[in-house]
Amino acid sequence: MAIERVAILGRGAVGMLYGSIAERNLGPGVVEFVMDDERFARHAGETPLVNGEPLRVPTVPASEAEPVDLVILAIKAPGMAAALKTMERLVGPRTAIASLVNGVTSEERVAERFGWGRTVLSVAQGMDAVFIGDEMTYAHPGEVRFGAAPGTGPGVVDEVADLYERAGIPHVVEADIRRRMWVKLMLNVGINQTCMVYGGTYGTASEPGGEQQRCFVAAMREALAVARAEGVDVTEEDLAQMAGLVASLDPDGMPSMAQDRINERPTEVEEFAGTVIRLAEGHGLLVPTNRWLYQRIRELEAGFSRRGPQRARSGVEPGSLWDFAAKC
């Protein structure tokens, strides 16, 4: 069965990136964003920009949504409970579900509510999207890597791959998607948390011999050790490839958790350091870098105001997050 209608939950950087690409290639009426009614009311009248152009994908409230052929979860992990409730209006007996939520636990939560039969395992990686204020910019769209879970029904992966192909969304079907998800978790544990804590960028985290690079690599190596203890064959070669991927990105770009610090939004630290710490305890592994990152990120979150997104300003110390934002 060909996928003809797509709903995206999460109108953030990843959702707008792939939603705008799909709309450009599939035309109007195929893709829509869906928000719970309260969130929809708060954002009524807003038109975000994607690389300077108004976002053309429509947004509808959950109360007016109908079942679709594919639901793509592009939310942040803290919004998972609300997203599952919104999905009840969107998921029918033939609806496929693809989660691009960071970490390695979101699909389990989806399957608890809607079953494994139409659920695929996915990660999105390699994009350099930055969403601050009301504008999202990107140069590299990255790619979606996905594959079947043990309970995914026959043909579902092929249907999703066909949709991505028609939509122009770069993608790779993985034979061992669980391994790929752990490689992505390792990357996020390192780059997202390091840039959030230090107010850094891809460039500062990749600077050879620098404090940020040492933190970045140490956090990834701890995640690698936990993955192997979990029976997942993540290697030092994978770690080196992820470090090289970050070094290839725009040095002035930054990952989502650094953007969360600017926008003063809850982070996905529970999906990153929280997961590493919890699983490490079960295996008797020491993960001091992730414990330090977890504590520091929670301290930063506790200091967030309720004023909304902060704007760049001048006259700050070189290398700080505000200094970076001022150059964007």
Side-chain angles (χ1 to χ4, degrees):
M1 183 187 75
I3 294 173
E4 300 295 343
R5 295 189 60 225
V6 180
I8 300 175
L9 273 65
R11 204 177 69 182
V14 173
M16 287 197 291
L17 170 61
Y18 291 128
S20 61
I21 291 174
E23 192 276 341
R24 186 165 64 243
N25 289 286
L26 298 174
V30 177
V31 184
E32 64 185 13
F33 289 102
V34 178
M35 293 180 177
D36 64 78
D37 286 25
E38 181 181 348
R39 183 179 298 273
F40 179 83
R42 288 203 309 269
H43 294 281
E46 295 180 359
T47 304
L49 301 178
V50 177
N51 282 346
E53 297 291 332
L55 178 69
R56 293 193 297 265
V57 181
T59 302
V60 301
S63 60
E64 298 178 11
E66 297 179 351
V68 295
D69 301 321
L70 172 65
V71 173
I72 297 176
L73 280 171
I75 61 168
K76 291 293 189 69
M80 193 68 189
L84 290 171
K85 183 173 180 60
T86 299
M87 286 173 64
E88 293 175 356
R89 299 294 299 250
L90 300 170
V91 176
R94 294 293 300 169
T95 303
I97 303 171
S99 173
L100 304 182
V101 179
N102 283 321
V104 293
T105 65
S106 67
E107 285 90 352
E108 293 179 1
R109 296 182 66 182
V110 168
E112 287 175 359
R113 182 76 64 92
F114 302 105
W116 280 111
R118 300 287 295 170
T119 301
V120 299
L121 302 176
S122 307
V123 296
Q125 67 179 45
M127 71 287 297
D128 59 358
V130 174
F131 185 27
I132 298 177
D134 60 357
E135 182 168 6
M136 191 274 283
T137 60
Y138 74 94
H140 302 285
E143 62 187 5
V144 176
R145 296 197 172 210
F146 69 103
T152 304
V156 178
V157 168
D158 291 337
E159 292 171 19
V160 175
D162 173 70
L163 181 278
Y164 287 159
E165 186 69 26
R166 289 185 284 119
I169 295 175
H171 63 282
V172 176
V173 177
E174 293 271 357
D176 187 355
I177 184 59
R178 183 166 179 254
R179 179 180 180 280
R180 176 54 54 186
M181 292 173 72
W182 267 95
V183 171
K184 175 66 184 297
L185 176 65
M186 177 179 68
L187 171 64
N188 276 327
V189 162
I191 192 61
N192 259 290
Q193 298 186 134
T194 297
C195 287
M196 197 282 183
V197 166
Y198 285 93
T201 68
Y202 297 131
T204 62
S206 299
E207 184 176 344
E211 181 179 351
Q212 292 182 44
Q213 189 197 48
R214 293 196 297 273
C215 180
F216 169 32
V217 173
M220 286 201 296
R221 190 158 282 127
E222 291 176 0
L224 184 157
V226 171
R228 295 188 69 82
E230 287 283 298
V232 183
D233 187 25
V234 180
T235 68
E236 281 286 331
E237 182 180 357
D238 294 318
L239 188 153
Q241 288 179 346
M242 292 301 100
L245 172 65
V246 170
S248 73
L249 298 175
D250 178 359
D252 286 336
M254 58 180 161
S256 60
M257 281 182 73
Q259 297 170 51
D260 290 336
R261 180 169 170 171
I262 291 177
N263 291 313
E264 297 195 341
R265 292 173 178 163
T267 74
E268 295 179 298
V269 66
E270 288 295 342
E271 296 299 312
F272 299 159
T275 296
V276 170
I277 293 167
R278 174 174 54 83
L279 294 177
E281 289 174 346
H283 295 291
L285 298 175
L286 297 177
V287 288
T289 302
N290 275 278
R291 287 188 180 279
W292 177 77
L293 286 166
Y294 184 93
Q295 178 181 355
R296 185 71 187 107
I297 290 167
R298 285 305 193 201
E299 290 170 352
L300 288 166
E301 287 180 323
F304 287 171
S305 71
R306 295 294 178 261
R307 296 189 302 272
Q310 300 296 294
R311 302 300 181 185
R313 65 187 185 220
S314 59
V316 295
E317 296 179 4
S320 73
L321 184 63
W322 289 116
D323 181 61
F324 163 69
K327 294 186 288 186
C328 291

